[in-house]
Amino acid sequence: MDCVSLREIADEDLPIFFEQMTNPAACHMAAFTCKDPADHAAFLGWFTRVRGDPQIVARTVVCDGAVVGQILTYPREGRREICYWFGQAYWGRGVATAAIAAYLTRVSARPIYARAARDNVASIRVLEKSGFLLEGLDRGFANARGEEIDEVVMVLRA
Ligand SMILES: CC(C)(COP(=O)(O)OP(=O)(O)OC[C@H]1O[C@@H](n2cnc3c(N)ncnc32)[C@H](O)[C@@H]1OP(=O)(O)O)[C@@H](O)C(=O)NCCC(=O)NCCS
């Protein structure tokens, strides 16, 4: 996947992210979404925070000139966690795997933790391909499912 490059988030990326992050299939997959992904004011508030917080390293992922998704790491309960989200049109082509590999060469902090709904097979596979190992299981309320579900916790140590 040679096309993938990363850059800082730009204002013009936000409408694309909003569309990607309100996609019902993607929300179901990610499961642990914000309460209401369609709340545009909350979305803008989140990205204002993301772009202004020096502890959050967020990048737009571009492929062949198109904004295909985003990756970020942020502090959560004293640990650094990774999150990523890609447009459905780009799934299944190795874009996430290539983008995370590029991101991890630029962000050297370790360990990095990740969480995924236990049935988010694609995300768990991407993490495995990126060198993350299973750390344990957890259970939490998934806004996009309206119920508590199992999640996996994975970690990249080196
Ligand atoms: C999860 C997500 C990041 C995957 O992105 P992607 O670009 O499709 O990922 P890749 O193409 O790099 O790799 C996907 C891998 O999962 C595998 N996969 C996908 N669906 C699968 C399924 N149902 N069963 C088994 N394997 C599956 C693919 O075969 C591929 O593995 P392979 O290279 O060994 O064949 C993307 O679907 C997404 O952004 N989803 C919405 C948001 C989300 O879930 N974010 C993560 C929150 S934890």
Side-chain angles (χ1 to χ4, degrees):
M1 187 47 62
D2 295 338
C3 71
V4 166
S5 63
L6 306 181
R7 63 162 167 73
E8 300 256 346
I9 294 174
D11 291 346
E12 56 268 29
D13 302 339
L14 298 183
I16 301 169
F17 291 166
F18 187 67
E19 195 186 328
Q20 293 172 347
M21 297 180 80
T22 50
N23 175 309
C27 289
H28 182 83
M29 202 172 178
F32 298 97
T33 60
C34 61
K35 276 205 177 100
D36 179 10
D39 182 340
H40 194 247
F43 167 87
L44 290 177
W46 164 247
F47 273 99
T48 300
R49 199 187 128 204
V50 162
R51 296 170 76 187
D53 184 341
Q55 295 200 82
I56 301 178
V57 183
R59 294 291 179 265
T60 293
V61 182
V62 177
C63 184
D64 289 333
V67 171
V68 299
Q70 56 174 282
I71 304 177
L72 60 88
T73 53
Y74 69 107
R76 175 179 165 171
E77 294 165 7
R79 311 202 303 194
R80 180 155 289 277
E81 268 194 36
I82 191 168
C83 280
Y84 40 83
W85 198 294
F86 295 85
Q88 188 171 10
Y90 309 100
W91 293 355
R93 292 161 38 180
V95 170
T97 304
I100 292 168
Y103 183 92
L104 292 173
T105 62
R106 289 164 177 80
V107 175
S108 56
R110 301 288 186 273
I112 297 179
Y113 288 83
R115 289 172 172 269
R118 200 173 182 177
D119 58 11
N120 192 345
V121 184
S123 186
I124 294 169
R125 179 74 189 123
V126 165
L127 290 166
E128 285 170 352
K129 287 195 288 179
S130 306
F132 285 74
L133 298 173
L134 184 65
E135 168 88 351
L137 297 177
D138 203 354
R139 207 170 155 75
F141 188 81
N143 286 321
R145 312 272 180 96
E147 60 177 349
E148 252 194 29
I149 62 167
D150 292 331
E151 59 181 330
V152 298
V153 181
M154 299 182 73
V155 63
L156 180 72
R157 293 202 181 274

